[in-house]
C-alpha cells in the first residue's frame, strides 16, 4: 500500500472527527474489554494454580492407597523406595517430601470447627516457608513438638492466639477415633493465601495421631521449579514407577473408606485379576471368592498398593473449568462487540461513499485507478480500527492494574482466584497482539464492500450526478 494512500486515508479520518470518535470509541471499548478479560483470566488461572499448590502441598502429588484385610482402601503406604524413584525420575524437582492430611475437628473451649489438618516435614519444606505470611508467631516456634500453624480466620473465630492449646478429634488411617492436643505456635494470613483455612502440624506428629508407623506416609508432595512443567513431571514419574513394577494410575486418588463394588472393579481393573501385584512392595494381587454369578466383582488382595499421580492443574478441577467458561464468555462478548462495531463501520462507509462520490470521480479523472480508490478506503478502515484498538489496549493496561489494587474478600466464592485478596492482572503480549490483528481484520472485512463499490464508481457519471 503506497504512502499516498495512507496520507489520503489519514486526511479522510480527520475530516469527520465526530464520526471518527464514535466509530473509534466503539472499537476501542471492545479492545479494552477484551484486554481486561484476557488479563484477568490469565491472572486468575495463575493464582488458582499457585493457591491449589498451597492447598495440595505441591505441584505434583503421589498418593498411595493400601487395601486392608477388610477390603477398605487406606490412605497409607510404607515403601521408602518410592520416594527415591520419584526424586531421581525428574531432575527439575526442588523438593519431594512426605505429607499426611485428614479432616479433623478442632475444639477450643465450647467451640469447635472442622478443617483440613496437614502434616508437613518442616525440615524439607520449601513451599510454605516461601508462600505463607505469618501474622503471629515465627517459623522457629513450629520446630517444637505438638505445635500447630493455624489460619487467621479460624483463630479469629475461636479467639485464639499463640500459646493456646486446642483439642483435635480425628479418624486414624484404619478408621478408629482419636483425640489429641496441640499448641498454637503461629498464625498465618489466610487472606494472603487465597482464603485457605488448613491447619499445619509436624508430619511426625500427625503420622502418630493417624496411628501410622514411622516409615508410613500418605503422599509425596513434589515442588517443581516451574508449575507449567507439572504435567510433564507427572508423566515421567508415572512411567518411572510403572517400569519398576508399581501399580500407578493418573488423576486424583479416591476417598479412603469401604471398598465398594465400583471401587473393587476399579482396583481390579488397575491391578489385574490374578496378576502379580506391586513387585517392589512384595504384595500380590489375587481374587476373592465373591457371590455366585458371572457378575461377581473381584476383590484386590490385602496389602495391595495402588499409587495415584495428580498435578496441580488436575486438582484445580471445577475452578479451572469455570475459568474456561469465563474465558469463552469473554470471547462471546468481544465477538458481539466486534459485530456491532463492524456493522457500524460498514454502514458509515456506505454513507461516506455517497458523500464522496464527486470526490472519487475527480480522483479517477486525474489518474487514480480502481485499485487506488479501493486501497484508500481499506487504508482508512485499518487506520481507524487499528488505531482505536491500539488505544483500547493501551487504556486497558492501567485500568486492569488499577482494578488489581482493589481488595476483595479472600473467603468468598472467588477466594481461590485471588492473590493476597486482590485480582491478578497478567496481560499477555501475544494475546494483545491477537486483539489488534483480529480487530483490524474485522475492520477490513467491514470496509471491503463499500470500498469495492467506491472503486467501481464511473468518473463521468459521478461528476454528472453530483454536478
Amino acid at each position: 500500500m503506497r504512502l499516498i494512500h495512507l496520507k489520503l486515508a489519514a486526511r479522510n479520518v480527520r475530516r469527520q472527527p465526530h464520526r471518527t470518535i464514535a466509530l473509534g470509541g466503539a472499537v476501542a471499548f471492545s479492545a479494552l474489554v477484551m484486554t481486561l478479560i484476557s488479563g484477568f483470566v490469565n491472572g486468575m488461572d495463575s493464582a488458582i494454580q499457585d493457591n491449589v499448590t498451597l492447598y495440595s502441598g505441591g505441584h505434583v502429588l503421589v498418593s498411595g492407597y493400601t487395601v486392608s484385610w477388610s477390603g477398605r482402601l487406606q490412605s497409607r503406604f510404607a515403601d521408602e523406595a518410592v520416594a527415591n524413584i520419584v526424586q531421581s525420575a525428574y531432575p527439575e524437582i526442588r523438593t519431594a517430601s512426605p505429607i499426611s492430611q485428614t479432616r479433623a475437628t478442632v475444639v477450643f473451649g465450647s467451640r469447635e470447627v472442622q478443617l483440613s489438618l496437614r502434616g508437613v516435614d518442616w525440615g524439607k519444606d520449601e513451599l510454605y516457608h516461601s508462600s505463607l505470611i505469618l501474622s503471629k508467631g515465627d517459623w522457629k516456634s513450629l520446630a517444637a513438638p505438638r505445635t500447630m500453624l493455624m489460619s487467621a480466620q479460624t483463630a479469629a473465630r475461636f479467639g485464639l492466639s499463640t500459646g493456646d492449646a486446642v483439642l483435635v478429634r480425628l479418624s486414624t488411617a484404619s478408621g478408629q477415633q482419636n483425640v489429641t492436643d496441640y499448641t498454637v505456635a503461629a498464625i498465618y494470613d489466610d487472606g494472603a493465601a487465597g482464603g485457605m483455612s488448613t491447619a499445619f502440624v509436624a508430619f511426625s506428629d500427625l503420622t502418630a495421631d493417624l496411628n501410622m508407623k514411622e516409615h508410613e506416609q500418605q503422599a509425596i508432595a513434589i515442588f517443581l521449579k516451574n508449575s507449567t512443567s507439572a504435567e510433564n513431571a507427572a508423566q515421567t514419574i508415572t512411567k518411572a514407577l510403572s517400569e519398576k513394577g508399581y501399580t500407578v494410575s493418573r488423576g486424583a486418588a479416591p476417598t479412603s473408606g469401604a471398598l465398594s463394588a465400583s471401587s473393587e472393579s476399579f482396583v481390579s481393573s488397575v491391578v489385574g485379576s490374578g496378576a502379580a501385584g506391586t513387585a517392589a512392595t512384595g504384595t500380590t494381587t489375587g481374587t476373592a471368592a465373591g457371590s455366585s454369578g458371572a457378575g461377581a466383582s473381584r476383590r484386590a488382595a490385602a496389602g495391595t498398593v495402588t499409587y495415584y499421580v495428580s498435578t496441580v492443574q488436575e486438582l484445580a478441577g471445577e475452578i479451572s473449568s469455570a475459568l474456561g467458561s469465563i474465558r469463552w464468555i469473554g470471547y462471546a462478548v468481544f465477538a458481539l462487540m466486534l459485530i456491532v462495531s463492524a456493522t457500524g463501520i460498514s454502514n458509515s462507509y456506505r454513507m461516506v461513499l455517497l458523500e464522496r462520490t464527486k470526490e472519487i470521480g475527480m480522483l479517477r479523472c486525474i489518474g487514480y485507478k480502481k485499485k487506488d480508490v479501493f486501497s484508500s478506503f481499506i487504508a482508512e478502515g485499518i487506520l481507524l480500527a487499528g488505531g482505536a484498538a491500539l488505544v483500547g489496549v493501551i487504556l486497558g493496561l492501567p485500568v486492569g492494574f488499577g482494578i488489581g489494587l482493589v481488595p476483595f474478600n479472600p473467603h468468598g466464592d472467588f477466594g481461590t482466584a485471588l492473590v493476597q485478596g486482590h485480582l491478578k492482572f497478567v496481560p499477555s503480549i501475544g494475546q494483545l497482539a491477537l486483539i489488534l490483528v483480529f480487530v483490524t481484520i474485522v475492520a477490513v472485512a467491514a470496509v471491503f464492500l463499500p470500498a469495492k463499490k467506491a472503486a467501481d464508481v464511473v468518473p463521468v457519471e459521478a461528476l454528472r450526478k453530483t454536478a
Side-chain angles (χ1 to χ4, degrees):
M1 191 175 292
R2 292 188 297 178
L3 182 60
I4 189 172
H5 298 149
L6 292 177
K7 288 183 177 180
L8 180 61
R11 187 203 69 177
N12 290 334
V13 168
R14 295 194 301 269
R15 283 170 60 181
Q16 297 288 340
H18 296 293
R19 178 185 294 155
T20 299
I21 291 173
L23 290 176
V27 174
F29 183 71
S30 300
L32 184 146
V33 169
M34 196 56 201
T35 299
L36 294 178
I37 290 174
S38 62
F40 282 121
V41 171
N42 290 341
M44 286 191 288
D45 192 29
S46 174
I48 284 173
Q49 291 195 29
D50 291 342
N51 288 327
V52 172
T53 300
L54 286 176
Y55 297 162
S56 61
H59 296 116
V60 179
L61 285 181
V62 179
S63 307
Y65 278 72
T66 304
V67 179
S68 68
W69 63 270
S70 62
R72 296 172 60 89
L73 282 177
Q74 295 184 357
S75 177
R76 63 201 294 181
F77 66 96
D79 194 342
E80 298 179 359
V82 173
N84 296 327
I85 296 171
V86 168
Q87 186 73 56
S88 59
Y90 199 73
E92 295 186 9
I93 292 177
R94 291 177 62 179
T95 60
S97 56
I99 63 170
S100 53
Q101 181 164 301
T102 186
R103 291 293 295 179
T105 301
V106 178
V107 181
F108 181 70
S110 60
R111 299 181 181 180
E112 61 180 51
V113 64
Q114 281 198 341
L115 46 73
S116 293
L117 186 63
R118 179 173 301 156
V120 178
D121 187 340
W122 295 120
K124 293 183 179 180
D125 169 61
E126 203 172 303
L127 174 64
Y128 300 108
H129 276 77
S130 60
S131 301
L132 296 180
I133 300 174
L134 301 187
S135 56
K136 289 184 180 180
D138 53 53
W139 292 106
K140 186 177 180 181
S141 303
L142 291 168
R146 312 301 300 176
T147 55
M148 175 182 290
L149 174 60
M150 184 170 283
S151 72
Q153 182 185 24
T154 305
R157 182 182 301 178
F158 280 124
L160 282 167
S161 188
T162 54
D164 291 333
V166 296
L167 290 178
V168 176
R169 295 200 305 263
L170 51 80
S171 296
T172 66
S174 56
Q176 299 170 334
Q177 296 300 306
N178 190 15
V179 179
T180 184
D181 65 290
Y182 284 92
T183 300
V184 178
I187 297 172
Y188 68 91
D189 183 358
D190 46 11
M196 179 172 62
S197 59
T198 301
F200 300 91
V201 297
F203 171 76
S204 57
D205 291 336
L206 186 56
T207 298
D209 294 340
L210 293 174
N211 198 23
M212 293 167 58
K213 299 176 182 178
E214 274 189 38
H215 60 283
E216 287 187 319
Q217 56 193 303
Q218 291 180 318
I220 300 173
I222 300 163
F223 188 38
L224 304 171
K225 296 177 181 178
N226 192 332
S227 63
T228 57
S229 60
E231 181 60 31
N232 187 30
Q235 292 178 359
T236 304
I237 291 169
T238 301
K239 182 179 179 181
L241 289 173
S242 298
E243 289 176 349
K244 293 294 184 179
Y246 291 91
T247 302
V248 190
S249 179
R250 283 299 312 278
T255 303
S256 60
L259 194 62
S260 62
S262 60
S263 299
E264 291 174 20
S265 299
F266 174 79
V267 173
S268 297
S269 66
V270 172
V271 300
S273 172
T278 308
T281 60
T283 60
T284 57
T285 304
T287 56
S291 58
S292 60
S297 60
R298 296 184 294 272
R299 190 181 296 273
T304 299
V305 183
T306 303
Y307 295 91
Y308 298 84
V309 181
S310 55
T311 66
V312 62
Q313 289 87 354
E314 293 167 343
L315 294 170
E318 296 179 359
I319 303 176
S320 293
S321 300
L323 277 183
S325 300
I326 294 174
R327 194 186 296 272
W328 280 110
I329 291 173
Y331 291 153
V333 171
F334 182 57
L336 180 61
M337 288 182 170
L338 282 184
I339 291 172
V340 173
S341 299
T343 303
I345 292 172
S346 181
N347 291 335
S348 295
Y349 275 88
R350 286 192 177 94
M351 295 295 296
V352 168
L353 175 60
L354 296 176
E355 294 171 359
R356 298 181 188 169
T357 301
K358 182 178 180 179
E359 180 183 331
I360 294 170
M362 291 179 64
L363 290 173
R364 291 294 308 278
C365 287
I366 63 175
Y368 261 63
K369 298 178 181 179
K370 286 185 175 182
K371 64 178 182 179
D372 296 326
V373 175
F374 180 84
S375 297
S376 296
F377 267 72
I378 294 296
E380 190 173 339
I382 291 175
L383 284 177
L384 176 62
L390 181 60
V391 170
V393 168
I394 292 174
L395 288 177
L397 297 178
V399 172
F401 288 116
I403 293 175
L405 298 176
V406 178
F408 291 87
N409 179 13
H411 308 295
D413 294 336
F414 293 100
T416 308
L418 301 177
V419 177
Q420 297 185 359
H422 296 269
L423 284 170
K424 189 177 181 180
F425 183 64
V426 185
S428 165
I429 295 177
Q431 290 176 340
L432 298 182
L434 281 177
I435 291 173
L436 294 176
V437 170
F438 196 62
V439 168
T440 303
I441 291 174
V442 170
V444 170
V447 178
F448 183 85
L449 287 179
K452 190 174 184 304
K453 289 182 179 181
D456 292 336
V457 168
V458 179
V460 176
E461 292 184 2
L463 293 176
R464 177 167 56 82
K465 288 180 179 179
T466 57

